[in-house]
Amino acid sequence: MGEIEQKPTPGSRLGAPENSGISTLEHGQKPPPTPSGKLMSIKIQMLDDTQEAFEVPQRAPGKVLLDAVCNHLNLVEGDYFGLEFPDHKKITVWLDLLKPIVKQIRRPKHVVVRFVVKFFPPDHTQLQEELTRYLFALQVKQDLAQGRLTCNDTSAALLISHIVQSEIGDFDEASDREHLAKNKYIPQQDALEDKIVEFHHNHIGQTPAESDFQLLEIARKLEMYGIRLHPAKDREGTKINLAVANTGILVFQGFTKINAFNWAKVRKLSFKRKRFLIKLRPDANSSYQDTLEFLMASRDFCKSFWKICVEHHAFFRLFEEPKPKPKPVLFSRGSSFRFSGRTQKQVLDYVKEGGHKKVQFERKHSKIHSIRSLAMQPTEPNSEVPKQAQQRASLTPGEGAESPGGQSCQQAKERKVSTEECGPRQSPALQKSPAGSLTGSPHLSELSINSQGGAVPANVILSPNLSPDTKQASPLVSPLLNDQPCPRTDDEEEGRRKRFPTDKAYFIAKEVSTTERTYLKDLEVITSWFQSTVSKEDSMPETLKSLIFPNFEPLHKFHTNFLKEIEQRLALWEGRSNAHIRGDYQRIGDVMLKNVQAMKPLAAHLWKHGEALEALETGIRSSRRLENLCRDFELQKVCYLPLNTFLLRPLHRLMHYKQVLERLCKDNPPNEADFRDCRAALAEITEMVAQLHGTMIKMENFQKLHELKKDLIGVDNLVIPGREFIRLGSLSKLSGKGLQQRMFFLFNDVLLYTSRGLTISNQFKVHGQLPLYGMTIEKSEDEWGVPHCLTLRGQRQSIIVAASSRSEMEKWVEDIQMAIDLAEKSSGPTPEFLASSPPDNKSPDEATVADQESEDDLSASRTSLERQAPHRGNTMVHVCWHRNTSVSMVDFSVAVENQLSGNLLRKFKNSNGWQKLWVVFTNFCLFFYKSHQDNHPLASLPLLGYSLTIPSESEDIHKDYVFKLHFKSHVYYFRAESEYTFERWMEVIRSATSAAPRAHTLSHKESHVY
């Protein structure tokens, strides 16, 4: 008798790591090596109905054949698929990956093995690759045609309309009817033809990849999705069908599901001859008997179904490939079959870490090409790029492709002839996908292709009709920085570098100059770029124009003159003839005092910026045209941060002046004239900051709430008076399906939890809310057997969450407790404010299959008719999601104070040369420019999750003032020009890579009320 057994612990019901399961392989052990010898040919029928022959050694295990098929397809997520064939008794069985093929397929010349989907995940958004979703869509198409996927006429017509859209493109009634006449997608299709044509008309502009996504979105909600029925009888002899899914074992009568046994309820599965046995966990509220028995047609049928159940349980429930049971010394009982291969969690982690390279693929039945395929075509008919190189290159250099960091400009030009030669020289994390979108680690270790929250647009125009894979695979990747010819600094050039003064005050003055350049560029985003955009369209009211632009133009004029004065003073300070003599020009306090005093009359304009921010958000809310204008402007390269952030830049700049003057006062001896000027300037600026401090705190919170609102779906009125943002970040929520990643948003009155669906707009769908009034929080690692676990008990519902680390858990505990205290001091419970707040008041082990399916529905994407612009794919929320971390409002406030600009030399891990770049640090992100004169950055690097260290001796970096940034396999070295600038860069970057001091946490008296 074969059986599997689980330990009856709460942790095992939640998929905790200690539930190791069973396997024939030791942990980390690979299947036996492929034996050499005589080859045999096996025919494989693909999902697109083509047949391919594969030559494999006769005694090779099944895994060799499956790997060969996946390699042939360039399929990364091949673990969802399997090979099935009819055995010698004509029973369809799965190919065992560990047994030799020759022992399973007795007459390979006469057998056609079918490559099909084996494991259907609960949510199709877990499929990261466009190719994987395409193959799943082909499986749905096949199941429809074979009558295996049953549904009502409306659902069938909608499914077929998406298939037609992916195959022939946009609606044309004559073409549609001709195509439907030649292709039968479902029995009795003729009766549905009018409905199919009607639905197809709604999909205009939808790409094949989007059609696949929408097809799976509809199919996954059908009761028979991914279901294969196995005939059986119950104890009374009633004919039924058994099936297994990601949630557990299902019982059908005909095509109607009549019962379900969730994995959390199943203690043991076994079979004895023709009897299939399910042993349930004891449940006082259940009317089921302890052990259920089903009779199947034969022992072979019974064992085949038992094997499938073992594999589904292991694939969906375990964290890692299960360990084997110890082999008995004398004899064994039961079947030796065990699951082998990666679990779903291991597959998701592998794809997330970017351990693969995306390639194009061909849609056999489609008359149109996906974006990924179109990007691979040569730009000129007589292109000299070899075909193989075309397949591997993502962009031609004219489209923004970059040369590797260690190459010379001449080598970069040679890349136009052969992109393949340069490929291996690139940093692995910075490889580009063949789509025109740029791929790297989904953990966002690289650079961004958009303009929100540490984002930079790539040199590619993104269409609203990009495929989900193109937009979603890595939301924060961007081009390499070396494609433009820019100065290189090596040892020869280093000898010619200008010898600068060594005074600390000089470097502080230079910091004022470099950051002032960046500040002027930020002002120009409003005074020049945004004003020019607004003037071309009549979508902004005159009252709003008069509130924004007249209050920014005087500031721009003033700071332009201020920058000239500083640069003139620095030029005199750097003069070679008097570099060793301290004269009247080797000081900065007098320039600062003069300009701070001249800045005071401009305070009236600074007071208006908060009002302008509120008026702009009000205008956007009331005018669709203004909303579209601002959204389109944020997609421009110059708008490298959210638009409303630029409106607060003048307030932030006052904080920078205050910090600079504090450092100057600390550095200068008290008896010097420069000290007196610096102290007087500091007193003036401190007074201005104190006057505007309340407005600044209020506006920062207001701006953050509006930014978060754009990232969320399902919130009616997030921005209300009195609401304060406290923390956002990624936590794992425990349910009947185990650990599921969710994005949490903590405010002073409520905690929201959301998930990210693979939607066009890249927004997060709200699953529910927990009011903080009356909530309690407790650590529950021992109870659930999950590390860093917390139980949040509200008045109406409770949830269990797990953080990624001990430090993350402590941050959440402290902030949630502070928020609970604030809520208790308020007048009472917060009213409902979500568009939909689904009930979620069950503990993880009580969740039923129906609960799980309804939760899946909440993360569903919008339909094609509700499509939005793809501009929310790389905000700070997405950085936290992919790097599995969190950030608080305190961290944002500290980040405002820690901004820096200047030249740095940058080197990749595997390159030799150093490249000089203009670097701007703001909003937890490094932005890279060729020079300070550029209007927009070449690329960006979000720093959340990165580690900041100094290179070790073994890294062979024999230079001064070098610091190292690394995240997983991504490593960058940066080199500063002096000890002072090195320490400053270390200081500000450390503020982004580590948590802000808790002492800065706002008290209730300092709340962001507006």
Side-chain angles (χ1 to χ4, degrees), residues 18 213 343 470-471 481 549 615 629 632 889 900 969 984:
E18 62 267 18
F213 184 84
T343 65
T470 304
K471 296 188 294 292
L481 306 175
F549 303 118
L629 180 142
D632 292 343
M889 190 64 200
L900 195 59
S969 61
R984 281 292 292 143

Side-chain angles (χ1 to χ4, degrees), residues 322-395:
K323 297 178 182 178
K325 287 182 177 179
K327 292 183 179 180
V329 177
L330 298 177
F331 59 90
S332 62
R333 293 180 58 199
S335 170
S336 63
F337 174 79
R338 298 294 182 263
F339 171 78
S340 66
R342 293 186 296 191
T343 65
Q344 188 193 24
K345 184 180 186 303
Q346 288 176 313
V347 176
L348 293 173
D349 290 345
Y350 172 75
V351 178
K352 264 191 174 184
E353 291 179 8
H356 62 281
K357 180 177 179 181
K358 293 192 177 183
V359 293
Q360 64 171 342
F361 64 92
E362 179 185 356
R363 295 171 178 267
K364 176 177 179 290
H365 299 285
S366 181
K367 297 179 183 178
I368 57 177
H369 298 282
S370 67
I371 298 294
R372 178 186 281 188
S373 301
L374 289 174
M376 303 312 300
Q377 302 303 320
T379 54
E380 297 178 1
N382 299 322
S383 173
E384 297 178 9
V385 181
K387 181 178 180 181
Q388 188 177 6
Q390 291 175 15
Q391 292 173 346
R392 297 190 181 184
S394 60
L395 296 172

Side-chain angles (χ1 to χ4, degrees), residues 283-518:
D283 186 354
N285 300 322
S286 174
S287 59
Y288 299 129
Q289 29 193 336
D290 179 54
T291 303
L292 299 174
E293 184 178 310
F294 300 93
L295 191 67
M296 306 193 81
S298 68
R299 180 187 182 278
D300 290 337
F301 276 108
C302 195
K303 183 177 182 179
S304 175
F305 181 64
W306 174 80
K307 284 183 175 181
I308 299 169
C309 292
V310 170
E311 292 178 315
H312 273 73
H313 172 267
F315 183 77
F316 288 110
R317 293 285 290 175
L318 302 186
F319 273 22
E320 58 186 19
E321 185 177 321
K323 297 178 182 178
K325 287 182 177 179
K327 292 183 179 180
V329 177
L330 298 177
F331 59 90
S332 62
R333 293 180 58 199
S335 170
S336 63
F337 174 79
R338 298 294 182 263
F339 171 78
S340 66
R342 293 186 296 191
T343 65
Q344 188 193 24
K345 184 180 186 303
Q346 288 176 313
V347 176
L348 293 173
D349 290 345
Y350 172 75
V351 178
K352 264 191 174 184
E353 291 179 8
H356 62 281
K357 180 177 179 181
K358 293 192 177 183
V359 293
Q360 64 171 342
F361 64 92
E362 179 185 356
R363 295 171 178 267
K364 176 177 179 290
H365 299 285
S366 181
K367 297 179 183 178
I368 57 177
H369 298 282
S370 67
I371 298 294
R372 178 186 281 188
S373 301
L374 289 174
M376 303 312 300
Q377 302 303 320
T379 54
E380 297 178 1
N382 299 322
S383 173
E384 297 178 9
V385 181
K387 181 178 180 181
Q388 188 177 6
Q390 291 175 15
Q391 292 173 346
R392 297 190 181 184
S394 60
L395 296 172
T396 63
E399 293 169 316
E402 315 292 341
S403 64
Q407 289 180 322
S408 67
C409 295
Q410 179 62 33
Q411 287 174 306
K413 293 176 183 176
E414 290 172 0
R415 190 168 185 226
K416 295 180 181 179
V417 178
S418 176
T419 57
E420 189 175 4
E421 294 175 2
C422 301
R425 298 286 299 274
Q426 291 186 4
S427 171
L430 295 169
Q431 299 292 335
K432 299 179 185 177
S433 78
S437 76
L438 305 152
T439 65
S441 166
H443 287 275
L444 312 184
S445 56
E446 285 317 312
L447 314 163
S448 160
I449 59 171
N450 214 305
S451 59
Q452 306 295 323
V456 178
N459 299 332
V460 186
I461 298 175
L462 297 179
S463 160
N465 293 326
L466 280 176
S467 69
D469 182 70
T470 304
K471 296 188 294 292
Q472 213 46 39
S474 181
L476 282 168
V477 252
S478 110
L480 291 174
L481 306 175
N482 336 10
D483 66 324
Q484 309 284 354
C486 44
R488 300 275 170 178
T489 305
D490 52 19
D491 290 335
E492 294 180 4
E493 191 173 342
E494 188 177 328
R496 298 193 297 269
R497 292 175 64 193
K498 184 186 293 185
R499 184 175 298 172
F500 292 122
T502 57
D503 298 344
K504 189 174 181 179
Y506 163 79
F507 290 110
I508 296 176
K510 192 169 183 182
E511 181 183 328
V512 176
S513 169
T514 56
T515 53
E516 193 74 10
R517 287 171 178 171
T518 300

Side-chain angles (χ1 to χ4, degrees), residues 614-642:
E614 291 183 355
L616 178 62
E617 294 296 347
T618 302
I620 290 173
R621 195 163 55 248
S622 58
S623 169
R624 178 60 61 86
R625 290 182 62 193
L626 181 57
E627 179 185 7
N628 292 337
L629 180 142
C630 293
R631 183 194 63 205
D632 292 343
F633 180 75
E634 286 187 326
L635 292 174
Q636 294 186 27
K637 296 177 181 180
V638 293
C639 192
Y640 66 101
L641 297 172

Side-chain angles (χ1 to χ4, degrees), residues 848-872:
T848 64
V849 175
D851 295 330
Q852 295 174 17
E853 290 175 348
S854 64
E855 187 170 308
D856 287 341
D857 292 341
L858 290 169
S859 63
S861 68
R862 296 186 169 193
T863 66
S864 58
L865 298 178
E866 300 172 302
R867 204 179 297 127
Q868 294 187 8
H871 71 295
R872 304 302 305 171

Side-chain angles (χ1 to χ4, degrees), residues 47-180:
L47 282 164
D48 60 1
D49 297 329
T50 60
Q51 283 193 7
E52 301 282 348
F54 291 86
E55 301 279 339
V56 293
Q58 279 188 339
R59 301 197 59 81
K63 180 172 172 55
V64 172
L65 181 58
L66 180 60
D67 286 348
V69 176
C70 293
N71 290 336
H72 172 74
L73 296 171
N74 291 311
L75 180 61
V76 174
E77 297 170 298
D79 303 79
Y80 291 103
F81 300 83
L83 298 170
E84 65 176 11
F85 64 97
D87 66 5
H88 64 286
K89 295 184 179 179
K90 303 302 180 185
I91 300 173
T92 301
V93 295
W94 292 103
L95 186 72
D96 192 315
L97 300 185
L98 295 180
K99 284 185 179 179
I101 301 172
V102 72
K103 289 187 177 182
Q104 303 181 68
I105 305 176
R106 295 190 177 181
R107 302 176 66 190
K109 290 184 179 179
H110 304 282
V111 173
V112 176
V113 180
R114 298 173 66 240
F115 176 76
V116 294
V117 177
K118 186 174 186 179
F119 300 112
F120 290 79
D123 190 345
H124 62 299
T125 61
Q126 293 173 339
L127 305 174
Q128 302 296 315
E129 292 280 297
E130 181 184 332
L131 172 58
T132 313
R133 291 192 292 272
Y134 169 61
L135 295 175
F136 267 72
L138 289 179
Q139 183 69 66
V140 170
K141 176 183 171 182
Q142 195 176 96
D143 290 349
L144 271 175
Q146 295 174 357
R148 185 181 289 161
L149 181 59
T150 58
C151 55
N152 59 42
D153 289 351
T154 302
S155 296
L158 191 54
L159 287 169
I160 296 171
S161 70
H162 284 294
I163 296 173
V164 172
Q165 174 69 22
S166 70
E167 292 186 355
I168 67 173
D170 288 344
F171 170 80
D172 177 81
E173 185 166 355
S175 300
D176 280 15
R177 296 194 184 275
E178 181 184 352
H179 185 75
L180 291 171

